[in-house]
Amino acid sequence: YPHSNSQPNKDYNVVIVFLESWLSKYVGTLGGKPAVTPHFDSLAQKGILFERFYATGTRTNRGIVSILCSFPSQTGRSLMRKYTDNGALESIAEVLKEKDYPNILIYGGDLQFDNMEGFLRIRGFDRFVGQDDFPEEDKLGKWGVPDHLVFQRANEEFVKFGDKPFLGVIVTLSNHEPFLLPSDSFKIFSPDVPQWEYLNAFYYSDWSLGQFFHLAEKQSYFKNTIFVLVADHGRFMKTEV
């Protein structure tokens, strides 16, 4: 919208970060206990924190449709997994293409899983970085590349856009079963703590997010970027007795 002083509108970069399986009950700034998100909590003090954001499902394939296409999760098979045009949808990539924004999606896993790349290509995304675009030694288990390396790559790719406004999407994955960690230093919870493996992965995911912002703030694109941090979905939790 135009500024009150009639200055021309500015085209900002847009970076959307999907935070795998993040739950508010463990986010410190939202009153979570135990709090495992010191880096996110710090970022929340510098930005706008939405306290009434709710997941539309329990799978990434539903979160992607909801977040990138503003379309609520439906019963039955996810729209991302229906191999049709889905012409009624419009993604943020398609909207920003009208303003000549290039785009890129960075994911440490298999881009073909759940038809992610196929769906998003139809919906206007052009460039993708997946696990096959990382060195083989970077992979950690079946899900692919850990979050901190995905964030490093994302920063490198964003720098390449130079002064041209862009759309960037980062899909994290480390906070997911089997909760593999690149280092034992992130194991701050012991097995006697309920959900201890999940909480350790959550803590690592938050640390990786913090490392990304440490990298990004040194780059010229940083001050001209709107960063959107949002969980991809909710999570079924076992009842502790």
Side-chain angles (χ1 to χ4, degrees), residues 68-230:
L68 298 183
C69 301
S70 298
F71 199 85
S73 181
Q74 305 293 300
T75 58
R77 195 177 196 184
S78 168
L79 292 178
M80 199 172 89
R81 298 183 63 196
K82 292 182 178 180
Y83 305 105
T84 58
D85 181 21
N86 290 312
L89 301 180
E90 185 175 34
S91 76
I92 187 174
E94 292 171 288
V95 172
L96 291 180
K97 271 191 174 182
E98 297 177 5
K99 296 179 69 66
D100 197 30
Y101 272 56
N103 60 66
I104 187 170
L105 181 141
I106 301 98
Y107 177 51
D110 180 5
L111 288 166
Q112 309 312 313
F113 184 74
D114 274 351
N115 192 39
M116 181 187 296
E117 182 178 349
F119 172 81
L120 292 176
R121 280 197 182 279
I122 293 174
R123 295 274 61 90
F125 280 84
D126 301 314
R127 291 190 57 208
F128 296 84
V129 173
Q131 65 176 2
D132 293 339
D133 300 298
F134 289 84
E136 187 66 29
E137 59 268 23
D138 286 349
K139 296 178 184 178
L140 185 66
K142 70 174 186 177
W143 286 114
V145 180
D147 286 353
H148 75 283
L149 297 179
V150 172
F151 278 123
Q152 287 180 22
R153 179 63 177 270
N155 180 63
E156 294 169 3
E157 295 293 338
F158 296 162
V159 168
K160 296 176 184 178
F161 287 109
D163 296 330
K164 187 173 181 58
F166 66 89
L167 166 66
V169 176
I170 306 169
V171 181
T172 67
L173 53 70
S174 291
N175 193 24
H176 190 294
E177 291 89 349
F179 305 120
L180 299 178
L181 300 171
S183 168
D184 286 344
S185 64
F186 298 107
K187 294 181 178 180
I188 63 172
F189 295 97
S190 60
D192 60 335
V193 176
Q195 308 292 339
W196 69 282
E197 291 178 303
Y198 167 66
L199 292 174
N200 286 333
F202 206 147
Y203 176 77
Y204 162 67
S205 179
D206 175 74
W207 176 84
S208 299
L209 180 68
Q211 298 309 298
F212 169 64
F213 276 91
H214 286 319
L215 292 172
E217 66 185 0
K218 298 179 177 64
Q219 307 300 332
S220 60
Y221 74 82
F222 179 78
K223 293 183 178 180
N224 192 46
T225 300
I226 297 171
F227 294 92
V228 180
L229 312 179
V230 58

Side-chain angles (χ1 to χ4, degrees), residues 31-43:
K33 294 181 180 180
V36 294
T37 57
H39 295 280
F40 179 88
D41 297 344
S42 176
L43 292 169

